[in-house]
Amino acid sequence: MRFMRLIIAASLILLAASPGMAADGKALFNAVCARCHGTDGSFKLKGKTAVQVETALEGYRQGTYGGPQKATMQQQAARLSPEDIKALAAHIATFQ
């Protein structure tokens, strides 16, 4: 578990350090979200609108949203910039 957290943290650092990469919703999703949600968003993301995803991620960042996995999602969302959230939301909204 600790090793996976290091990999996720390193991925986020690399994405943030690469110009243009942090706002690439697909790349960010694949690096950070796909491990838990599936590459196609099949675990709890299919059918979500961009507004729903943005609302949830902002809520996780602020600690005002979430269920049983709240702590995990809060840690992930805390590392996202507003641009990252918008890019992720736009990408996730493409899952049908």
Side-chain angles (χ1 to χ4, degrees), residues 3 5 8 10 12 14 22 27 33-34 38 43 45 50 54 57 62 77 89:
F3 181 70
R5 287 184 185 156
I8 291 169
L12 288 171
L14 287 173
C33 310
F43 187 69
L45 294 179
E54 281 187 57
L57 288 174
Q62 297 171 15

Side-chain angles (χ1 to χ4, degrees), residues 32-68:
V32 179
C33 310
R35 182 174 64 90
C36 294
H37 291 286
T39 56
D40 63 351
S42 58
F43 187 69
K44 296 189 177 185
L45 294 179
K46 279 193 174 185
K48 301 283 186 195
T49 66
V51 171
Q52 289 172 314
V53 174
E54 281 187 57
T55 300
L57 288 174
E58 281 297 334
Y60 281 122
R61 267 178 26 129
Q62 297 171 15
T64 60
Y65 185 91

